[in-house]
Amino acid sequence: MFKFILCALLLVISFNGVFAQRGNLKKSLGSGVWGVRPKYYTLKDLRIHKAKKAKQLSKIKKWRTLSGRSLAVDPAVPLRASVLPSYIMDINTLFSEKELQIINNSWYFDEVKLPPSANVSPEERYLIARNNQVNMLEKLVWRARLDYFKKNSFEIARNLDVNIHYGSINYLDYIPQDVKVLYLGETHYSTKIQKEIVNVLEQVSSLHPKKEIYLLTEFFSDCYVLQPGRWLPKWLSKVYGASVWKKAHELKMNIVGVENQPLVNSLCKETFHTKFAERMDGTARRNEAWAHVVRSLMKKHPNALFIVYAGGSHVDASYYRNLPALIGEEKSFIIDFDLPDMKPVFKPLFNYMSIPGSIYQSFAKNKNSKLITFLLDEKYKKWIGFDLSVTVHMVPGEMPKGLKHEK
């Protein structure tokens, strides 16, 4: 009997509470200028709403994994499906006008801008949001890096040997004999740079005639391997870098592709002329996939020498999630091949290091010369980005229009 009375009392209290809440809600809605009426879902509506939400989440989850291979996800970066973050933060206020000019001229900090009315897929919205948030976080990191760089610029400059070279470069004067991974970063579509790549391969091969050498490159899929002794396919002489592949084959090197093609296909969808595979986050994701291939081969062939040939933004030690940092081999050496006009675009920190005017003018006047910058102290590699930089002259007309932001 007591239990029955207690239940009845609780029922009355809760009943009055519900009506009191509804009364307060009605009163507040009536007095407010911007009243919001509560929306009541039927059981059918709730099921449809939950199904749509689950389908959207499932689609985004599926997008993060392609062909059974998990995409690179940095745990420090919040993942959102929307274009705009839930907070407003103007990172640009952290930089001076001069610093902002350097940032805006640099490919490194390019953002993806999307009109609010744009009709894009959830996958593309996810890529845009993630790339821009990675970009924003990297600017925060770069603020601290820039302060250190400016504070220590005199000491860093003292550890840079800058000179002009005429004729063929003896790269063995710079490359350590016990190097395990040699990184060759290029500005694409330069015939002069590819000639230098061929020279490096010849010299390194002569230094290690009996050592197994792997030439790992972004220009082939990770399912492609050309071993020494195999015949050279005819199509290989017609693709990008043909002179490099021919020389590597002559030198009996293993030619191995590292590109994760399903990932590239997913990132190369263009939205308002934007290729995500070439943006900061897309480059980082591809680097993760490449590093996995390189580390696997290094584990299987511990005594081999590995040469990684790719675009400069992949191997530059000052870049976000760069290959040398991801692979983690201490006995490594980075050679960066570039063109004079590309330095402001791809080397934002390097803009604070002024090459002596007399040296640069002498280099500019003689098209057969090369500008060499050699880093004497390895501890500054993550600030400069390379151990050795070789700047060659650009052949007139060899650089296609619109290639400014490709490397």
Side-chain angles (χ1 to χ4, degrees), residues 65-185:
T65 306
L66 294 168
S67 302
R69 287 185 267 192
S70 181
L71 297 183
V73 176
D74 190 334
V77 180
L79 302 179
R80 304 179 192 277
S82 60
V83 175
L84 297 175
S86 58
Y87 49 85
I88 298 174
M89 188 174 184
D90 188 4
I91 301 296
N92 293 336
T93 57
L94 298 175
F95 302 97
S96 67
E97 188 174 340
K98 179 185 175 184
E99 293 165 350
L100 277 177
Q101 186 178 0
I102 291 176
I103 289 173
N104 293 332
N105 289 337
S106 172
W107 164 88
Y108 189 41
F109 293 112
D110 273 358
E111 289 193 358
V112 181
K113 298 186 185 298
L114 182 67
S117 60
N119 183 22
V120 297
S121 66
E123 295 89 349
E124 289 168 324
R125 285 186 179 274
Y126 166 75
L127 290 172
I128 292 169
R130 181 177 162 79
N131 179 81
N132 290 347
Q133 288 180 58
V134 169
N135 194 304
M136 182 179 69
L137 290 175
E138 186 62 7
K139 279 184 181 179
L140 286 171
V141 173
W142 202 68
R143 172 70 269 172
R145 291 168 63 85
L146 181 58
D147 289 339
Y148 176 89
F149 195 91
K150 291 167 72 176
K151 184 179 179 181
N152 298 277
S153 60
F154 180 74
E155 183 63 26
I156 295 174
R158 286 179 57 190
N159 283 277
L160 289 176
D161 181 20
V162 184
N163 59 76
I164 301 174
H165 192 91
Y166 300 93
S168 180
I169 300 173
N170 185 6
Y171 289 97
L172 299 183
D173 289 342
Y174 303 97
I175 303 172
Q177 289 191 7
D178 63 344
V179 66
K180 179 71 175 177
V181 183
L182 176 62
Y183 297 95
L184 306 179

Side-chain angles (χ1 to χ4, degrees), residues 148-329:
Y148 176 89
F149 195 91
K150 291 167 72 176
K151 184 179 179 181
N152 298 277
S153 60
F154 180 74
E155 183 63 26
I156 295 174
R158 286 179 57 190
N159 283 277
L160 289 176
D161 181 20
V162 184
N163 59 76
I164 301 174
H165 192 91
Y166 300 93
S168 180
I169 300 173
N170 185 6
Y171 289 97
L172 299 183
D173 289 342
Y174 303 97
I175 303 172
Q177 289 191 7
D178 63 344
V179 66
K180 179 71 175 177
V181 183
L182 176 62
Y183 297 95
L184 306 179
E186 68 158 22
T187 299
H188 295 330
Y189 300 101
S190 170
T191 54
K192 280 194 171 184
I193 285 178
Q194 289 191 7
K195 286 180 181 178
E196 294 302 316
I197 299 291
V198 168
N199 290 338
V200 173
L201 297 185
E202 287 180 329
Q203 293 181 30
V204 170
S205 179
S206 67
L207 182 65
H208 304 285
K210 296 182 179 180
K211 182 169 282 191
E212 189 177 23
I213 300 178
Y214 283 83
L215 177 61
L216 305 150
T217 179
E218 70 165 298
F219 304 110
F220 297 114
S221 170
D222 58 7
C223 60
Y224 182 79
V225 178
L226 180 62
Q227 296 175 326
R230 299 279 186 92
W231 58 276
L232 186 70
K234 289 183 178 180
W235 60 266
L236 212 58
S237 62
K238 299 178 182 179
V239 298
Y240 181 83
S243 60
V244 177
W245 320 132
K246 184 179 179 181
K247 179 55 64 176
H249 187 259
E250 289 176 1
L251 298 172
K252 301 187 184 309
M253 295 181 180
N254 295 278
I255 303 175
V256 181
V258 296
E259 190 71 91
N260 182 337
Q261 206 56 50
L263 175 60
V264 173
N265 292 341
S266 71
L267 296 174
C268 276
K269 288 187 174 181
E270 292 194 21
T271 303
F272 298 94
H273 309 289
T274 296
K275 289 184 178 180
F276 295 106
E278 296 167 3
R279 297 287 173 165
M280 185 188 295
D281 186 43
T283 300
R285 291 187 184 209
R286 291 164 65 201
N287 285 353
E288 285 276 5
W290 300 1
H292 175 73
V293 176
V294 178
R295 287 196 302 265
S296 298
L297 282 172
M298 289 176 68
K299 192 174 181 179
K300 293 178 183 177
H301 307 275
N303 298 320
L305 169 64
F306 296 89
I307 301 175
V308 180
Y309 170 41
S313 58
H314 295 281
V315 306
D316 190 308
S318 68
Y319 271 44
Y320 170 71
R321 298 183 81 79
N322 59 81
L323 273 175
L326 291 171
I327 293 172
E329 172 57 47

Side-chain angles (χ1 to χ4, degrees), residues 25-38:
L25 178 63
K26 187 175 181 180
K27 186 177 178 181
S28 65
L29 289 175
S31 60
V33 178
W34 296 99
V36 180
R37 294 184 178 277

Side-chain angles (χ1 to χ4, degrees), residues 48-81:
I48 294 172
H49 176 73
K50 288 181 179 179
K52 285 182 178 178
K53 209 69 175 169
K55 187 176 181 181
Q56 186 180 16
L57 290 173
S58 174
K59 202 170 184 181
I60 292 174
K61 186 177 179 182
K62 182 181 178 183
W63 187 253
R64 295 177 189 175
T65 306
L66 294 168
S67 302
R69 287 185 267 192
S70 181
L71 297 183
V73 176
D74 190 334
V77 180
L79 302 179
R80 304 179 192 277

Side-chain angles (χ1 to χ4, degrees), residues 311-320 322-324 334 336 346-347 381-386 407:
S313 58
H314 295 281
V315 306
D316 190 308
S318 68
Y319 271 44
Y320 170 71
N322 59 81
L323 273 175
I334 303 171
D336 180 73
F346 296 110
K347 298 281 188 292
K381 186 189 293 190
K382 67 179 180 179
W383 308 104
I384 296 297
F386 53 79
K407 186 174 184 180

